[in-house]
Amino acid sequence: MRMWMLPPSIMCRKHLLGEHVEMHMLVGTLLKGISVQGYIDNQLVELEHIRARHQELVEEMIERGYNHKSPLPDYPEVSGGVVDRAENLRDLANRCPDCRARIEDSGLIL
């Protein structure tokens, strides 16, 4: 599970929808009481931003004309984790040509 924590507008369809699914997976994991410490330790999640990040992703999905019918369920408030946004920007650009083009078009510096 990974929270890119980058502007959703720079993400291709695959990565936008993928992160959205992972928000639901992360909440499901929390609801089951499964530890997410490894994700925290590897700087992949920011637990206190799950709901806000989900909303950002949903707004971009709607902007692109996608349907959204999966609100997040209630889950215990949790905190922990810091995502390295600069590293994620470089990683996303390196792994996905579609995202790289969107990043370059946005004017963000890699």
Side-chain angles (χ1 to χ4, degrees):
M1 289 175 281
R2 180 179 202 154
M3 297 172 74
W4 290 102
M5 298 304 289
L6 299 171
S9 61
I10 67 167
M11 298 166 73
C12 72
R13 177 182 174 87
K14 179 177 85 171
H15 284 102
L16 175 66
L17 298 180
E19 186 177 352
H20 175 258
V21 166
E22 292 191 9
M23 292 300 91
H24 286 273
M25 290 170 46
L26 183 55
V27 169
T29 299
L30 293 172
L31 288 172
K32 291 177 183 176
I34 298 170
S35 174
V36 295
Q37 191 62 48
Y39 298 105
I40 293 169
D41 293 345
N42 290 312
Q43 298 183 317
L44 296 173
V45 297
E46 292 182 0
L47 299 179
E48 61 272 10
H49 295 124
I50 295 170
R51 192 161 301 283
R53 181 59 179 173
H54 179 265
Q55 186 59 38
E56 285 180 303
L57 298 169
V58 167
E59 288 171 9
E60 180 65 22
M61 290 166 59
I62 292 169
E63 177 73 23
R64 295 186 193 187
Y66 307 161
N67 289 321
H68 179 261
K69 298 178 183 177
S70 56
L72 284 179
D74 289 332
Y75 60 93
E77 291 300 317
V78 290
S79 62
V82 176
V83 170
D84 184 338
R85 288 160 174 77
E87 177 61 29
N88 277 357
L89 184 65
R90 288 187 295 272
D91 188 17
L92 188 60
N94 287 333
R95 72 169 55 191
C96 179
D98 292 337
C99 287
R100 182 177 195 85
R102 294 178 77 92
I103 291 166
E104 289 171 351
D105 288 347
S106 76
L108 288 175
I109 298 170
L110 293 172

